[in-house]
Amino acid sequence: MKNKTLKLIPAALPLLLFSVNTWGQAAGEAASSPYFYDSMLSYGMLALAAVVFIAALAALYNLLNIMVKVQQIRIYQEQGIEAYVEEMKKPQQSFFQRLYKRMTNVVPVEKEEDILFDHEYDGIRELDNVLPPWWVAMFYITIAFGVVYYTYYHFTGAGPSSTEEYKMEMERAEKAVQAYLSTQSNQVDETNVELLTDEASIAAGKAIYEGKGTCFTCHGMFGEGGIGPNMTDQYWIHGGGIKDLFKTIKYGVPEKGMISWKDQLKPAEMHQVASYILTLQGTNPPNPKEPQGDLYQQVDNAAPADSSSTEVKGQDGGTIGMSE
Amino acid sequence: MAQVEKFSYDNAIVRKFAYASIIFGVVGILVGLIAALQLVFPSLNLGIPETTFGRIRPLHTNAAIFAFVGNGIFMGVYYSLQRLLKTRMFSKALSEFHFWGWQAIILAAAITLPLGITSAKEYAELEWPIDLGIALVWIAFGINMFGTILKRREQHLYVAIWFYIATWVTVTVLHVGNNLELPVSLWKSYPLFAGVQDALLQWWYGHNAVAFFLTTPYLGLMYYFLPKAANRPVYSYKLSIIHFWALIFIYIWAGPHHLLYTSLPDWAQSLGTVFSIMLIAPSWGGMLNGLLTLRGAWDRVRQDPVLKFMVVAVTAYGMATFEGPMLSVKSVNAISHYTDWTIGHVHIGTLGWNGFLTFGILYWMLPRLFNTKLYSQKLANAHFWIGTMGILFYAIPLYWAGWTQSLMWKQFTPDGFLQYGNFLETVTQIIPMYGLRALGGTLYVAGYFVMLYNLIKTVQSGSFIGDEAAEAPPASTWAVHTGKEHWHRWIERRPVQMLIAATIAILIGGIVEIFPMVMIDDQVPKIESVTPYTPLELEGRDIYIREGCLGCHSQMVRPFRSETERYGEYSKSGEFIYDRPFLWGSKRTGPDLHRVGGKYPDSWHYNHMLDPQTTSPGSIMPPYPWLLRDELSTKSTAAKIRTLQTLGTPYPDGYDQIAVDDLQKQAKIVANSLRKDGIDDEKLEEKEIIALIAYLQRLGTDIKPKPQAGN
C-alpha cells in the first residue's frame, strides 16, 4: 500500500513543475514593473499561492491514503484473511509522523541509555544521536546553492554583474516612464509654462515653498531673502517672468548655490511654486534683503507669445520670443 | 584503587568578571536607551559634544559587546574551564592582570569614545594605544587558558573548550588584522589600507566580531551551562563535531555580505552571499544541540527561569542565524541595508542570545558561588517576561521602520520621479517606530534592574566560596587509547593540534578574500581625476570622523535607480583610494553623503550645522554649534601629511612644510563665500566648521565634470 501511494508523488511532480513555470513568468512580469509595491505584492501572492497549493497536495495525498486503506481492508475481509484485518485496523502513523521520524531519526528519550557515551565532563554526558537527516539535507542543499549561485554569476558569465543589473533597471524604468508619458497630455516645461492664478495651485505652490521644496531656507519664509535673493522686489538676477523662474528652479544656478530641482520636483510642482513666488511681488515683508540683479519690467501676463524679460542683458536666446 | 588529587577552583575571579558584566550591562544598555531616545528627541544630547549620538553610539556598542558580553564570556570561561578540566586556573597573577587590564581598557574606551577619539571602524573604534592594550590583555588570557589546559586532569577537551580555543585564536587574528594602522600622534592613526581594501578588512573583522565574540564563546558557554542547568546529556556528540568545524570554517568567509552592492568587486560580494547561506546549517547545529538537549526536561522549562532564559536565548540565536543569511541574499539586502531592519536583526542576537544566556547563567551560577538559593524565582520569572516583551517591543517596530523606509526610498511615481524625493519625509515617517523601540529598550532595562535586585538579595543571603574544593584523578592515570574510538577523540586529547587545526580553518577564508584585494592592483580600477584631499579637507574629514557622522550617514551610492536618482552617480571603488579610513558607513538615519559635494552652498552647511531644523524642518540631526565656535587645530596637520605620505598618498615631497599655509588659503576662500551670504564672524576662517564644509563640498566631486565659470 505504501508503495502504491508513493507512486502518486512522481505523477504529481510534472504538474507542480508546470505550475511553477507559469508562476515564474508572472513573477518576471511583476519584477519588470516600475512600481515597487506592485512587485512586492505579486511576490507575496505568489508565495501564498505556493503554500496553498502544497497544502492542497498534502491533503489530497492523505485522502488517497485513507481511501486505499479502506479499500484494502475490504478486500482482505472478503478474502477472509483475519490476520491482515487485525493489522490494518491498528492505528497507523500519519504521513507527517513518519516523515518526522525519518527526518529526525532520533533515539527516544527512554532508550537513550543505549547511546550514552561513557565519558563525562564535570557531570555532563553526551549522547550518540546521529546528525538529524533534515539538517544534513539542509546543509547539502545550501552548499549546492552556493556552488550553483557562484557558477551562475562568476564562471558562466550568465548572471549579470551589479552594474549590468543597474543598466537593465535603468533601461526598464526609462521605457516604463516613456510609455506612461506618452499617455499623458503634454508636459509643462520652460518653453510653454504659463502663470497659474487659481487658488488651489497657489496654495499647492506655497506648500511646496514651505515644505518639500525647502525654498524658504534660503529665500526666507516670506520671500524676503537670506542666503538667496529677495523675491518680493522687482529686481531679478535671472529674470522675473514665469518662464524665467521655472527655468531657474528647474536647472538651478549651481555656481551661485541654487540647486537644480528637476529631479526632486515634478514639472507641475515647479509650475505651482514658481507661480506662488510671483504672488509675493510687492508684499514688503520684514527684514528684506537688498535688491540684487536688474529691474525687471513686469509684462502683462495676458500679453501673447512672450512673457520673458525685457531687460537689456536678456536671457537665454532660446526662450525669447518663443511662441507656442 | 584509584588515586585522587585534592585541589580547589578559583571562584573569586569568576565573581569579579560576573560583577563587571552585570555593572557594564547596565551601563551599556542605558547608553543604548539614551541613544534610542535621542533619535526621537535630538535635544537629549543637552547640547554637549560628548553626549551627542555620533559619539555615544560607539560607546553603546563597545560597552554592550566588549564590556557586558566580554566580561560575561570571561566569567563563563573561568567558571567552566576549571571544572571541565578538573584543575585550578593556571596563574592567579594572569587572571588578575586579565581582569584589571580588561576593565582598564573599558575605562579607556569610556573616556576616549565620548571625546571623539576613534578610528571610525565599527566595533574597532578604539585608537592604537588601546589596541595595543587589548592585544596584551588578550594574550595574557590566552596564556592563562592554555596553561590551564596543559595542566588539566581531564584527558579530553569538551566541546565548550573547542569553542573557547577557536574564539581566542580568531579574535587575535581579527584584532591584529583590522588594526594595522600607522600612528600620527598619541590619539590619532591612519589605517594601512585605504578605501575598498580597508572596507573589506573592516567587515571581515566586523562580521567575525559577531561570529567569534558574540557567537562562538557563547556557544561554548551554552554547551556547559545548558546541560548543567537542565541536568540532561548533550543531544549529539556527532553534531557538536560537525557544526563546530563547519561553523568556524565558514563563518570567516561571510564578511563581504556587509558590502553587497557597494564598490567591492562582485566576486568578493558573491563569496559573502554563498558562504552566508551555507552558514545556516552549522549555526542551527548549535541551536539544535541546545534545544534537543532539553528533551525530557521541557516540563522543567515551564518552571525554571534559568531554563526559560536559555531556551529563548537559543531560539533567538536560531532566528538571528536564519535571518542573517536571508539578509545576505543580494535582493533582500537591497531592501534591508542601511535601514533599521539591520538594527532590529542584531538586537535579536544581542538582547536575545547574548543577554538572555548571560542572565540564565547568572541566575544559575551566582547562587552556587554563594552556596545559597536564588532569592526569588518569582522575580526571575518577572524579569523573563519583562525582558521578552522588551525584545519584542524593540525589534518589531524596527523591522517595521526598516521596511517602511526602504520602500519609501525606492518608490517612484509613474512619470519617473522619486515619490519621496525629500529624504526627510522617510525619516519623519518612522519616528513613531523609534519611540516604540525606545519603549522596548526601557522594558529591557526595567527587567535588568529586577535582576539586579534579585541578585543582590541572593548574594546577601549566602556566603561566598572563594576556593571551591574539588578532587580528581591526576593526569598520570590517563588511559592509553589504542582501540576503536571516534576519530575525533584523537584531537580532543591534543590541545596544540586543536589550536593549529582551528587556526588553519579560520585563516583560509580570510586569505582567499583579502589577499587578492590588497595584492592585485586591478581590483581597484584607477580613476585619473581622483586626487588626495587638501590639508583643509583632510582636517574636515577627521572632524567628520571625530563627530561620528558615519553612524548616521553612509558614503556609498549603490547602483540602484532609486539611489542614483536621489544622490547621483553610483560610487566607484577608484574614488576611495585616498580614504584612510574608508567611511562608507552602515546605516542611513540621514541621507547618503558621497555626492553631497557641490549640492548646497557653503552657507547652507553652515546654517545646517548650527541648527539642522532651519534648513531641514523636522530633522532629527542634533545641532553642532561647537563646530562654529571652536578653532581648528592645525598642530598635527604636518604630521598627518607625513603619515599619509608614508602610507603612499602622493603628496609632493616636503608638502608637510607648506600644508598649513595651503590650509589657511583654502579656509580664506570658504570663509569669504560664507561672508558673501551674510555670515558674520570675525575669525571665521579659523573655525572647525570651515574644514568640515571644505570636506563635504569635496565629497564625490572628483569624477564630476567641473562647472564652467560664467555659465
Side-chain angles (χ1 to χ4, degrees):
Chain A
M1 181 216 85
K2 192 177 161 194
N3 289 339
K4 263 188 206 163
T5 42
L6 275 179
K7 274 179 194 154
L8 284 173
I9 293 189
L13 270 181
L15 193 74
L16 188 72
L17 283 175
F18 176 73
S19 351
V20 166
N21 196 20
T22 46
W23 288 342
Q25 283 170 7
E29 279 157 25
S32 64
S33 151
Y35 313 123
F36 199 76
Y37 286 112
D38 286 1
S39 62
M40 286 299 285
L41 198 66
S42 17
Y43 277 120
M45 294 303 288
L46 207 65
L48 193 70
V51 169
V52 170
F53 184 75
I54 289 165
L57 213 64
L60 203 67
Y61 173 80
N62 261 358
L63 192 71
L64 271 171
N65 222 347
I66 292 165
M67 281 164 62
V68 169
K69 188 176 154 189
V70 169
Q71 188 67 13
Q72 232 174 358
I73 292 173
R74 205 174 60 82
I75 294 168
Y76 286 144
Q77 268 175 340
E78 281 172 6
Q79 311 254 329
I81 307 170
E82 287 303 319
Y84 276 105
V85 178
E86 290 304 310
E87 183 63 27
M88 295 313 294
K89 275 187 179 163
K90 272 186 199 162
Q92 265 215 332
Q93 285 181 317
S94 77
F95 169 73
F96 289 106
Q97 281 166 327
R98 271 179 289 132
L99 184 70
Y100 178 79
K101 211 171 159 189
R102 192 154 3 113
M103 291 316 269
T104 54
N105 199 8
V106 61
V107 176
V109 178
E110 306 80 50
K111 289 188 188 162
E112 71 184 19
E113 279 297 323
D114 302 345
I115 54 159
L116 203 56
F117 281 105
D118 53 8
H119 59 244
E120 58 97 8
Y121 304 94
D122 197 32
I124 299 173
R125 307 286 299 269
E126 290 178 288
L127 293 169
D128 194 21
N129 270 307
V130 298
L131 305 174
W134 70 268
W135 179 87
V136 177
M138 178 169 76
F139 200 2
Y140 280 131
I141 290 169
T142 57
I143 292 171
F145 170 86
V147 172
V148 170
Y149 183 100
Y150 211 85
T151 308
Y152 177 68
Y153 281 101
H154 298 284
F155 295 134
T156 65
S161 70
S162 300
T163 46
E164 283 163 0
E165 271 180 46
Y166 172 68
K167 277 187 202 117
M168 293 191 292
E169 187 192 10
M170 293 304 281
E171 280 162 18
R172 267 203 315 268
E174 178 69 28
K175 265 188 215 150
V177 168
Q178 288 310 325
Y180 174 82
L181 289 183
S182 66
T183 66
Q184 301 297 303
S185 55
N186 42 344
Q187 291 277 306
V188 198
D189 64 29
E190 60 274 20
T191 63
N192 62 14
V193 60
E194 294 287 347
L195 187 67
L196 295 168
T197 48
D198 63 296
E199 232 168 80
S201 298
I202 298 302
K206 186 173 197 291
I208 294 163
Y209 186 93
E210 293 170 1
K212 69 189 278 192
T214 63
C215 314
F216 69 94
T217 58
C218 292
H219 296 284
M221 195 49 104
F222 307 102
E224 71 273 21
I227 295 170
N230 184 340
M231 300 196 297
T232 62
D233 58 22
Q234 295 188 335
Y235 291 84
W236 295 88
I237 306 172
H238 302 287
I242 181 72
K243 289 187 169 67
D244 303 316
L245 256 75
F246 188 92
K247 193 177 166 204
T248 308
I249 294 168
K250 185 169 174 183
Y251 299 108
V253 191
E255 68 277 13
K256 291 186 185 159
M258 171 75 187
I259 71 168
S260 156
W261 287 91
K262 67 180 161 59
D263 294 332
Q264 298 182 58
L265 295 177
K266 296 180 207 175
E269 290 172 327
M270 291 189 282
H271 191 184
Q272 287 161 343
V273 77
S275 300
Y276 165 70
I277 289 167
L278 285 178
T279 66
L280 301 174
Q281 284 288 304
T283 49
N284 292 322
N287 309 318
K289 196 173 179 185
E290 79 287 355
Q292 290 166 284
D294 307 299
L295 184 65
Y296 179 81
Q297 300 295 330
Q298 192 67 34
V299 176
D300 184 0
N301 276 311
D306 185 15
S307 64
S308 72
S309 165
T310 56
E311 63 185 284
V312 190
K313 252 168 73 184
Q315 289 296 300
D316 183 348
T319 58
I320 292 179
M322 191 79 124
S323 59
E324 288 142 1
Chain B
M1 164 71 220
Q3 43 176 149
V4 162
E5 283 181 351
K6 289 190 185 307
F7 56 96
S8 66
Y9 298 132
D10 180 6
N11 280 349
I13 188 69
V14 178
R15 177 176 64 170
K16 278 197 180 111
F17 277 118
Y19 285 179
S21 179
I22 293 168
I23 292 166
F24 288 123
V26 179
V27 176
I29 297 168
L30 275 178
V31 175
L33 182 58
I34 294 168
L37 285 168
Q38 284 183 2
L39 288 178
V40 191
F41 310 106
S43 58
L44 275 182
N45 72 345
L46 309 173
I48 305 167
E50 286 77 11
T51 53
T52 300
F53 185 89
R55 299 197 193 184
I56 68 167
R57 183 208 173 244
L59 185 67
H60 161 63
T61 54
N62 277 277
I65 298 171
F66 299 109
F68 169 56
V69 174
N71 278 310
I73 293 169
F74 303 137
M75 160 190 88
V77 169
Y78 276 78
Y79 186 88
S80 60
L81 194 67
Q82 302 184 69
R83 285 159 177 81
L84 287 169
L85 298 173
K86 293 275 169 267
T87 185
R88 199 179 165 84
M89 283 311 294
F90 169 65
S91 158
K92 179 85 186 156
L94 280 177
S95 298
E96 291 293 317
F97 176 75
H98 177 195
F99 177 78
W100 290 110
W102 196 254
Q103 311 318 315
I105 285 158
I106 292 167
L107 184 70
I111 293 170
T112 56
L113 290 175
L115 287 176
I117 297 168
T118 167
S119 67
K121 293 188 147 197
E122 285 180 70
Y123 325 119
E125 285 92 348
L126 302 176
E127 263 300 352
W128 67 273
I130 310 175
D131 286 339
L132 289 179
I134 294 171
L136 206 62
V137 173
W138 193 255
I139 287 166
F141 168 51
I143 295 173
N144 207 10
M145 180 164 80
F146 276 96
T148 311
I149 291 173
L150 292 178
K151 66 170 207 152
R152 69 195 187 278
R153 293 188 179 80
E154 184 69 61
Q155 190 174 12
H156 293 88
L157 303 180
Y158 176 60
V159 48
I161 297 167
W162 316 343
F163 276 107
Y164 299 159
I165 291 173
T167 298
W168 184 81
V169 65
T170 317
V171 171
T172 309
V173 172
L174 292 169
H175 178 69
V176 173
N178 194 36
N179 288 302
L180 294 171
E181 55 210 1
L182 200 60
V184 172
S185 59
L186 182 58
W187 296 113
K188 180 75 196 166
S189 66
Y190 289 127
L192 184 58
F193 296 108
V196 64
Q197 300 169 337
D198 193 39
L200 178 64
L201 212 62
Q202 154 61 22
W203 284 112
W204 162 75
Y205 165 90
H207 174 69
N208 289 299
V210 174
F212 289 90
F213 209 86
L214 298 177
T215 306
T216 54
Y218 264 58
L219 280 170
L221 299 189
M222 179 198 83
Y223 272 111
Y224 179 80
F225 288 98
L226 192 137
K228 288 294 271 188
N231 197 21
R232 292 279 308 149
V234 173
Y235 175 73
S236 170
Y237 169 66
K238 286 188 184 121
L239 188 55
S240 299
I241 296 166
I242 301 296
H243 107 87
F244 167 75
W245 290 105
L247 189 80
I248 66 165
F249 172 73
I250 295 176
Y251 232 129
I252 207 87
W253 292 76
H257 71 205
H258 291 257
L259 298 169
L260 297 181
Y261 285 118
T262 65
S263 310
L264 186 73
D266 277 347
W267 66 264
Q269 295 186 26
S270 293
L271 281 179
T273 298
V274 298
F275 277 90
S276 302
I277 296 289
M278 287 188 243
L279 201 49
I280 300 175
S283 302
W284 273 21
M287 173 184 72
L288 291 176
N289 235 355
L291 289 180
L292 292 175
T293 295
L294 293 170
R295 284 189 329 144
W298 284 99
D299 51 325
R300 275 191 291 132
V301 174
R302 297 173 64 181
Q303 317 287 331
D304 186 356
V306 170
L307 292 182
K308 266 186 224 175
F309 273 110
M310 290 181 176
V311 165
V312 169
V314 174
T315 311
Y317 171 66
M319 280 161 55
T321 53
F322 179 72
E323 190 187 15
M326 293 302 109
L327 294 177
S328 309
V329 175
K330 284 180 91 173
S331 48
V332 180
N333 192 271
I335 301 171
S336 73
H337 197 46
Y338 296 131
T339 75
D340 288 293
W341 188 350
T342 312
I343 319 296
H345 163 67
V346 293
H347 280 84
I348 294 281
T350 45
L351 298 177
W353 164 241
N354 297 111
F356 269 33
L357 195 64
T358 311
F359 303 152
I361 292 171
L362 285 171
Y363 282 126
W364 183 86
M365 193 187 72
L366 269 193
R368 281 167 175 76
L369 290 184
F370 285 86
N371 193 25
T372 180
K373 278 204 156 50
L374 186 63
Y375 169 70
S376 165
Q377 297 276 326
K378 242 188 194 150
L379 282 179
N381 276 319
H383 174 202
F384 172 78
W385 287 111
I386 299 170
T388 306
M389 291 302 286
I391 296 175
L392 293 178
F393 268 97
Y394 186 98
I396 295 170
L398 281 193
Y399 284 116
W400 197 261
W403 296 330
T404 304
Q405 194 175 30
S406 185
L407 293 179
M408 288 176 85
W409 287 346
K410 290 170 188 291
Q411 183 68 49
F412 278 91
T413 60
D415 45 349
F417 287 87
L418 287 165
Q419 174 94 49
Y420 307 97
N422 185 352
F423 188 91
L424 203 48
E425 284 178 274
T426 74
V427 177
T428 47
Q429 181 72 24
I430 60 171
I431 288 176
M433 295 299 150
Y434 283 161
L436 275 179
R437 177 263 286 270
L439 173 69
T442 310
L443 285 174
Y444 199 83
V445 172
Y448 203 104
F449 279 106
V450 173
M451 175 183 80
L452 208 56
Y453 175 77
N454 202 355
L455 291 181
I456 289 171
K457 282 290 187 189
T458 306
V459 165
Q460 283 172 348
S461 73
S463 58
F464 182 60
I465 311 168
D467 295 299
E468 190 177 325
E471 52 180 42
S476 57
T477 63
W478 287 353
V480 181
H481 291 266
T482 48
K484 195 170 156 8
E485 58 173 0
H486 194 284
W487 59 269
H488 198 260
R489 298 289 281 171
W490 182 88
I491 203 164
E492 290 166 30
R493 291 191 291 273
R494 291 170 176 80
V496 177
Q497 282 88 335
M498 175 77 88
L499 175 69
I500 293 168
T503 309
I504 293 169
I506 60 109
L507 280 181
I508 294 172
I511 289 172
V512 171
E513 288 174 353
I514 294 167
F515 269 57
M517 272 309 298
V518 300
M519 307 303 278
I520 305 171
D521 282 345
D522 295 356
Q523 296 292 337
V524 186
K526 275 243 153 44
I527 301 175
E528 280 307 318
S529 57
V530 174
T531 53
Y533 292 104
T534 68
L536 186 67
E537 290 158 5
L538 188 67
E539 291 293 353
R541 194 169 195 274
D542 285 337
I543 291 170
Y544 187 96
I545 291 170
R546 183 189 76 194
E547 298 301 337
C549 303
L550 80 158
C552 292
H553 295 282
S554 58
Q555 288 187 14
M556 173 49 61
V557 181
R558 296 176 292 176
F560 300 152
R561 176 185 174 216
S562 57
E563 302 215 343
T564 53
E565 284 291 320
R566 186 183 296 279
Y567 303 117
E569 184 62 26
Y570 65 84
S571 307
K572 317 279 191 296
S573 58
E575 295 182 78
F576 301 101
I577 54 171
Y578 302 120
D579 279 24
R580 290 176 204 272
F582 84 111
L583 295 175
W584 294 358
S586 61
K587 175 70 173 63
R588 282 183 189 150
T589 303
D592 187 277
L593 296 182
H594 188 215
R595 300 279 177 225
V596 79
K599 187 170 178 186
Y600 303 105
D602 291 347
S603 53
W604 185 94
H605 287 291
Y606 188 92
N607 289 319
H608 184 246
M609 291 296 164
L610 177 64
D611 182 4
Q613 296 271 354
T614 59
T615 50
S616 319
S619 167
I620 53 171
M621 175 165 146
Y624 287 84
W626 56 90
L627 298 178
L628 282 59
R629 189 185 60 217
D630 296 347
E631 280 181 21
L632 179 70
S633 162
T634 53
K635 259 201 328 236
S636 56
T637 308
K640 284 177 179 177
I641 297 288
R642 280 194 298 273
T643 307
L644 288 174
Q645 280 174 324
T646 312
L647 290 168
T649 308
Y651 291 112
D653 280 343
Y655 186 68
D656 57 313
Q657 299 302 316
I658 52 167
V660 176
D661 292 342
D662 265 10
L663 181 148
Q664 284 161 349
K665 269 183 225 157
Q666 195 186 357
K668 196 114 208 152
I669 297 170
V670 178
N672 285 338
S673 108
L674 290 176
R675 288 210 177 90
K676 223 173 61 195
D677 285 337
I679 288 156
D680 219 13
D681 180 346
E682 225 168 90
K683 291 185 160 179
L684 202 50
E685 39 273 273
E686 291 165 24
K687 298 295 160 65
E688 288 185 333
I689 184 77
I690 300 293
L692 186 62
I693 291 175
Y695 171 61
L696 290 173
Q697 295 291 33
R698 167 73 188 273
L699 270 177
T701 56
D702 280 359
I703 65 164
K704 274 187 196 169
K706 298 276 178 273
Q708 284 146 13
N711 188 12

